[in-house]
Amino acid sequence: MTESDVIQPRTSHPIGNGETPTTDPTLLGTRSTPTHALAAVPVEGPPLTVDGFVEAFLQELHFGQGVQLDRSTVNDQYLALARTVMHYMMAEWLETGRRRRAEPTKMIGYLSAEYLLGRQLGNALLATELTEVAEEGLATLGIDLATLRSQEIEPGLGNGGLGRLAACFIDSLAVMDVPCIAYGIRYEYGIFRQTFFNNRQLEVPDNWLRLGSPWEFPHPERAVQVDFGGHTERTSDENGREHVQWVPSWNVQGIPYHYMVPGYDNKAVNTLRLWSAQATDAFNLQIFNSGDHAEAVRSQTFAENISKVLYPEDSTPQGRELRLQQQYFFVACSLHDYIEHTLPADFDLRKLPDQIIWQLNDTHPVIAIPELMRILVDVKGFEWAEAWDITKRCFAYTCHTLLPEALEVWPVDVIGRLLPRHLEIIFRINEDFLIEVRERFPGDELRVRRMSIIAEHPERAVRMAYLASVAATKINGVAALHSELLRDKVLPDFSEMWPDKFTNVTNGVTPRRFLRLANPKLSELITEVLGDERWVTDLDRLSGLEAYADDASFREKFRQVKAANKTRLFELLKRRDGIDVAPDNMLDVMVKRLHEYKRQSLKLLHIVHLYESVVSGRRDISDIVPRTFVFGAKAAPGYHMAKETIFLINSVAEKINSDSRMQGRLAVVFPANYNVTLAERLIPAADLSEQISLAGKEASGTGNMKFALNGALTIGTDDGANVEIRKLVGDDHFFLFGMSEPEVAELGARGYVPSSFYEQNEDLRRAVDLLGSGEFTGSNRDAASTVVNDLLWNDRFMALADFQSYVEAQARVDAAYADTEAWTRSAILNVARTGFFSSDRSMRDYLDRIWLR
Ligand code: 26W
């Protein structure tokens, strides 16, 4: 039974017996709600002084939280502090809105199903330049700012790279004062909290709202009704023109929650608008009046399920109907919000492409394309051709993957059941498109079949990436190599047809969160030598550090910063996970989602190889350069191989860490629940960054950028943005290993046989054998067999083929690390040469290559 079956049979038209389902007056009257006759009153935040701050804070505590200082909990204080800081941002938020309404320019509508925001308080304090004032002011009350900061539960409304990228991008747009509304879903439960039990991953629901959510403003009066299900009806008008009416069978409403997205030092604050699903009153009432109270409550739950939980799948869409409901839900709310509430009432929609560009963050919001067509044709009365001409200029599409299994495909019957009108529109778009293909390539029916938006096998399904490609003005990949492969291997037919649609924008990361906030000590050092803080919004200025790489006293200071960051991390790991970390080891870090293509198992093989070489007596422990290997990774709950890999890593860690022969010179730590908050502590402390995906599989990576910017050296393949990092920092300051993408393709074509690598490489054989022997898994061989057998007999991502090269590169790392001065020099050059990876630069590229074209 699907979710929609639950209510459909009982109440076929719960909102009004086939009438146009847009009649709920509480939902639609928002345009008349504001009383524009009133004059705006100037808004000013509290004074930027310690006294002013303390007064504002106490006001919030007393009148916002309703508690006296001596009775207040840490949570009361945190909430009051958050609200206080927001008062300082508020004037700028309101002013930004006023300014934008007064001089409307083209804006960005960023559509993303995920925003992995991380904690808000630190960033808000930074944006308002209140950090010191707050620290001092709170201290006068006997409150420690750091304690309040750690009270915040981060909103984990994303899975990994794609969601974090969205958060970095909206930060940069605010910093650059570019008008943008970012739209998404206010999941009640974000990415699950990971715990370990008997070395296995357990998932705990992430109830991030449970202690209150001070950063959001709900606007129930701006609710939007979203329809689902039902059928379509056709009528002809007096001119013989056909009109289609969608008669849906159920609906929900979307309540917008507004979040401020502050800039930096520029008085601009943008808006993030996340939608929460609720049952509509009409919907509830009808069932309630029929006397079935239990059913009324049940249907309410049903509606609210839509924004209940983030799907924890990363790269492997499950094709679940609820996921499509989520996608349509937030996209329909967002388009409606913009067209009906943001544009002036008399706006001429033919000019829509001059006013907005909708950026599709992967295929998750692609249903927006037929939705805009539906609005224009069915609701606003446009002719198809004109509507299509408008729609085509309103969307741009970013692809974030190369894995075929990550490309979303929706079965035709699922879309037909949930969104019958949209399915018709998709068919019509496809029909017209295929006519175009036939005109361009007469007689090439094979090509027509290849390019069709509708796949016929294994079942009839809509290829969302193709729909996006047909409609979008621009299609971009997220790193140079990725964009090339996207053009030539994933969408070759489309790039042949429309070469100009394809472009690249290499990803970036926000220097505010990932350098200035996460690494205050390095920031201070940078500011000291560059003379000012302009680098925070102009990251190319980091090149000014080049000269200091040769300055011995600067190198010493740089090392002190790294050492202090390690201490800070180790204190956290002790407190958070009870983990003890040897203070002087090289810190070798691999943090990212657990996925076969990212090859955590390759790193595990290297660790086991080192361990084996010591316990077998082939190497003396004193010859090992002391290292602590850190893993951080969540596995999708249904991803068996990934979960088995986590189990193996934990098992290996347990064994190695308790083996006194290692003398602490070889240690493996795997703190549970890697998230943005932990990343902010881990990355600044790292010496070595592991970016070891099989070439041609990681679209870009953004963790790689964060590490380099914080002065870690990278060991990596020629994949994703690693390619660009290596070019910029130079071969001498980057440890390259592994096959290149063409070599991978060639080996694949020849026929890859992993066991032949196993047989020919003694170190590899010994490592694999030890891993499979049960040595690490309580003599239970089977416990390791899923991963080990896969490596030996399948190894889709060629870990065994790259093993030798990886081990050799790791030996170069050891040698390089032994020369402290040279290592530090390389680390400094990594910082100095990676200013390019600011997300501010990415945003400029989007503006130049996509949004303002
Ligand atoms: C469940 C369906 C699904 C499919 C794909 C969910 C999520 C995805 C994303 C495309 C996964 C993702 O986060 N991709 C990452 O995007 C980053 C930002 O561009 C890149 O840096 C990473 O290389 C890419 O894996």
Side-chain angles (χ1 to χ4, degrees), residues 82 120 158 173 311 352 438 474 497 547-548 612 614 698 767:
Q120 296 299 290
L173 288 171
Y311 273 95
L352 197 59
R438 288 192 174 99
K474 291 281 174 180
M497 186 144 169
Y548 293 87
E612 192 279 334
V614 174
E698 187 70 270

Side-chain angles (χ1 to χ4, degrees), residues 114 159-166 169 311-318 323 327 361-364 398-402 405-408 478 482 507 593 597-598 697-705 720:
E114 303 188 8
N159 271 289
L162 164 137
R164 184 53 237 177
L165 187 78
F169 280 5
Y311 273 95
E313 271 77 37
D314 188 76
S315 303
T316 38
Q318 301 284 310
R323 192 177 158 86
Q327 296 182 348
N361 199 23
D362 216 275
T363 53
H364 317 156
T398 306
C399 174
H400 294 266
T401 188
L402 280 162
E405 68 266 31
L407 295 173
E408 279 189 306
V478 289
H482 174 237
N507 283 166
R593 281 300 286 255
Y597 82 81
K598 295 177 187 281
K697 302 299 175 194
E698 187 70 270
S700 162
T702 45
N704 48 2
M705 301 166 185

Side-chain angles (χ1 to χ4, degrees), residues 806-841:
Y806 184 51
V807 169
E808 285 166 15
Q810 290 288 12
R812 282 185 272 131
V813 170
D814 282 339
Y817 195 70
D819 184 345
T820 305
E821 293 298 340
W823 181 279
T824 312
R825 186 168 175 277
S826 290
I828 294 166
L829 290 177
N830 265 267
V831 182
R833 295 175 179 175
T834 46
F836 174 78
F837 297 105
S838 168
S839 45
D840 303 348
R841 188 270 315 149

Side-chain angles (χ1 to χ4, degrees), residues 715-783:
I715 183 166
T717 48
D718 230 348
D719 199 15
N722 295 354
V723 178
E724 290 154 84
I725 293 176
R726 184 170 63 87
K727 268 201 197 117
L728 283 164
V729 304
D731 282 318
D732 294 345
H733 312 290
F734 185 108
F735 302 97
L736 175 69
F737 78 97
M739 294 177 284
S740 64
E741 189 279 327
E743 286 166 348
V744 170
E746 203 210 329
L747 178 55
R750 272 208 317 270
Y752 171 53
V753 183
S755 56
S756 69
F757 287 85
Y758 165 84
E759 277 149 21
Q760 284 159 34
N761 185 324
E762 190 191 341
D763 287 343
L764 175 58
R765 202 165 61 237
R766 284 166 170 270
V768 170
D769 288 350
L770 187 62
L771 201 54
S773 70
E775 176 76 10
F776 301 103
T777 47
S779 76
N780 179 356
R781 282 160 161 268
D782 288 352

Side-chain angles (χ1 to χ4, degrees), residues 282-353:
F283 188 94
N284 275 334
L285 202 65
Q286 225 190 22
I287 306 170
F288 208 76
N289 286 345
S290 75
D292 192 345
H293 296 196
E295 176 57 24
V297 172
R298 214 151 75 88
S299 61
Q300 203 166 359
T301 311
F302 170 77
E304 284 161 17
N305 267 343
I306 291 184
S307 57
K308 186 67 77 183
V309 56
L310 169 81
Y311 273 95
E313 271 77 37
D314 188 76
S315 303
T316 38
Q318 301 284 310
R320 294 283 316 277
E321 191 160 326
L322 180 60
R323 192 177 158 86
L324 183 59
Q325 287 174 15
Q326 291 186 335
Q327 296 182 348
Y328 180 63
F329 165 72
F330 97 90
V331 148
C333 287
S334 305
L335 292 196
H336 183 96
D337 175 81
Y338 180 71
I339 293 171
E340 303 299 339
H341 300 167
T342 307
L343 287 175
D346 55 353
F347 186 80
D348 177 357
L349 286 170
R350 284 172 302 184
K351 300 203 181 101
L352 197 59

